[in-house]
Amino acid sequence: VTEPVSRRRALGLAGALAGGAAIGGSAIGGAVWRSSADATAGPSAGATPPPTPVAFHGAHQAGVTVGPQAHLMAVGVSVAADGPDALRALLGRWTVAAERLTRGHQVAERSPSSRLPPVDSGEADDRDLSRLTITLAVGEGLFGSPATDRFALAARRPPALAAVPPTAGEVLRPHLAPADLLLLVAGDDLQVVAHAVRNLISAGAGQVGWRWTLSGFGPPAGASATVGQPSTHRNLLGFREGTANPHPEQAGFDEGLWVQPSDGPAWMAGGTYVVLRHMVLDLAAWDALNLLDRERVIGRHRRSGAPLGEREELATLDLAAEGPDGRPVTDPRAHVAVARAATTGAPMLRRSYNTAAAGPDDPSGEAGQLFLAFARDPATQVTPVLQALAEHDLLSGYTTTVAAGTYAVLPGTTAGGSWADALLSSTP
Ligand code: HEM
């Protein structure tokens, strides 16, 4: 008896069926594969090309500008391996594994014998690719200090990692403290996402230690192909999220997001930084607010997402607009007003996911937001906004930050290359 070969077989079969007008679903890889029984449903099923993987290799890592997927698992990992060579080997192995997983393959070639435990746990066999992306970021801990410089990285530490100081409203949980490595694993099928996390951790056995996982859910599968599109989704306050995000067609998008060669350290060129925060919402207090007060706190209309006094979600937010009584239409302490006023340069790119654990005994539970902001320079793009929000934002009365960390998202990789290439290169 041998274990099933790989997800490739299922995908290859589905790809073959596509030629016979057998596959339905969205064009951007969010679709669920039809079984061959479904394929007989008739001509109305239509022919849609098989999903293509989100490209793993490139100048930048995948998972930053792809349209928000339905699920995210952010996984904090400590590195047990010792020395640059061990780190290089670990990251090399993980790059190969991650690239395979995003193409729908099992994490590694199958075990030589069915008397050995299979290398892949198998629960993603026959599942769609689901726009799986696996993004690796490194935390301050990896860079050690001159005294304890396990990986000879102390001189390569990006100063930006220390850019976000603590702010008011944080009640940080020690077990969620920043980790050496952060894996951002996202996709439209939670089973595919969880499979990737489980098998990557297994592939690093002995070299890495799992620290924590923060899981969130976002828009339905295939809602938008790239970030910053008008199709926003709702957070647990019922408001549209992501409206004012920059989008890739906008002038200056790349310059606001990706580290440029002149920024330093040179090895980070093509990477970016991610500020992660897990924020718990006081939904009981929020639910007691009337609609007008909720809209005043956010500074947008709940239903449409439009700025107050406007009808369209994408209408211009005019903080100087006054009502007939001469008072500002948008309260200067509204979330969007404070955030907008504190955004003086290129805006950060927000990719937030909802988190929920509501139950009958505790209706608020741990409902909240897994907030991710990507920026070329967190010191100028994120820190001032965080500080202004902590001080003035009406919404801060309803949020508690329980986890916070800043990570360097490594530059992209080339085919056959490794996440270690830039980090451990000879470039300073
Ligand atoms: C639980 C926490 C949070 C919730 C529920 C929340 C919710 C929202 C909502 C509903 C909007 C309006 C729609 C949009 O443009 O996305 C918004 C905008 C925004 N938020 Fe938040 N947010 C949270 C935390 C944060 C944090 C921690 C930051 C900064 C580090 C932040 C920065 C921003 C920015 C920059 C905007 C766009 C403002 C503009 O220029 O129009 N938010 N947020």
Side-chain angles (χ1 to χ4, degrees):
V1 185
T2 53
E3 54 148 339
V5 177
S6 74
R7 293 169 58 207
R8 178 190 356 208
R9 200 166 79 185
L11 296 166
L13 173 65
L17 287 173
I23 307 297
S26 105
I28 54 170
V32 174
W33 288 108
R34 284 168 171 259
S35 69
S36 45
D38 291 333
T40 59
S44 61
T48 307
T52 46
V54 179
F56 181 85
H57 295 296
H60 315 295
Q61 284 196 72
V64 180
T65 58
V66 65
Q69 295 112 310
H71 298 278
L72 168 77
M73 289 176 87
V75 187
V77 167
S78 56
V79 180
D82 221 359
D85 291 343
L87 182 62
R88 188 186 300 279
L90 165 70
L91 296 183
R93 200 161 61 248
W94 259 12
T95 313
V96 172
E99 197 267 345
R100 288 179 62 92
L101 290 166
T102 56
R103 277 190 298 129
H105 291 246
Q106 293 198 333
V107 69
E109 292 298 332
R110 64 182 173 185
S111 310
S113 160
S114 50
R115 294 183 187 283
L116 293 170
V119 285
D120 186 289
S121 53
E123 72 271 29
D125 284 4
D126 315 327
R127 302 294 276 237
D128 179 19
L129 295 169
S130 89
R131 294 192 297 161
L132 182 70
T133 55
I134 301 172
T135 313
L136 186 74
V138 299
E140 264 205 293
L142 204 69
F143 296 90
S145 64
T148 57
D149 192 6
R150 287 193 289 162
F151 305 114
L153 286 174
R156 301 167 71 78
R157 175 198 308 260
L161 283 179
V164 184
T167 49
E170 293 176 357
V171 183
L172 301 180
R173 298 180 178 160
H175 71 278
L176 296 176
D180 292 342
L181 302 178
L182 172 70
L183 278 169
L184 297 173
V185 183
D188 290 325
D189 179 342
L190 182 54
Q191 184 150 321
V192 170
V193 172
H195 166 266
V197 169
R198 175 183 178 190
N199 285 274
L200 281 171
I201 298 294
S202 303
Q207 306 289 295
V208 296
W210 173 88
R211 294 272 302 280
W212 41 257
T213 299
L214 296 168
S215 301
F217 50 95
S224 56
T226 44
V227 289
Q229 298 298 309
S231 66
T232 46
H233 69 109
R234 292 188 188 275
N235 59 32
L236 298 182
L237 306 179
F239 281 74
R240 290 180 179 275
E241 184 88 34
T243 309
N245 247 344
H247 60 85
E249 287 79 42
Q250 266 170 3
F253 177 86
D254 285 335
E255 292 76 9
L257 179 60
W258 306 115
V259 176
Q260 304 294 309
S262 55
D263 292 348
W267 68 265
M268 264 297 286
T272 183
Y273 296 94
V274 61
V275 176
L276 173 146
R277 298 172 80 79
H278 183 206
M279 305 176 77
V280 174
L281 291 165
D282 184 350
L283 288 188
W286 180 261
D287 289 349
L289 293 179
N290 68 33
L291 179 60
L292 287 177
D293 281 341
R294 293 183 195 188
E295 294 187 332
R296 190 168 65 90
V297 169
I298 297 293
R300 283 182 176 269
H301 289 299
R302 192 202 73 81
R303 188 145 187 81
S304 61
L308 297 180
E310 300 288 342
R311 287 174 174 276
E312 302 296 329
E313 181 179 1
L314 296 182
T316 303
L317 171 68
D318 178 6
L319 296 179
E322 291 178 351
D325 58 1
R327 298 172 62 176
V329 173
T330 308
D331 190 317
R333 293 164 306 157
H335 180 68
V336 299
V338 177
R340 175 70 63 96
T343 304
T344 49
M348 66 187 91
L349 176 65
R350 291 167 290 130
R351 293 179 70 99
S352 295
Y353 285 78
N354 297 325
T355 64
D361 299 333
D362 180 6
S364 295
E366 289 283 81
Q369 189 166 97
L370 184 48
F371 174 90
L372 298 181
F374 294 87
R376 166 182 172 184
D377 179 16
T380 56
Q381 294 171 265
V382 184
T383 304
V385 182
L386 268 177
Q387 286 174 331
L389 291 176
E391 219 172 305
H392 306 294
D393 181 15
L394 291 172
L395 181 61
S396 62
Y398 302 88
T399 65
T400 306
T401 301
V402 298
T406 305
Y407 298 84
V409 178
L410 299 175
T413 47
T414 49
S418 157
W419 276 321
D421 291 347
L423 180 67
L424 297 170
S425 66
S426 50
T427 311

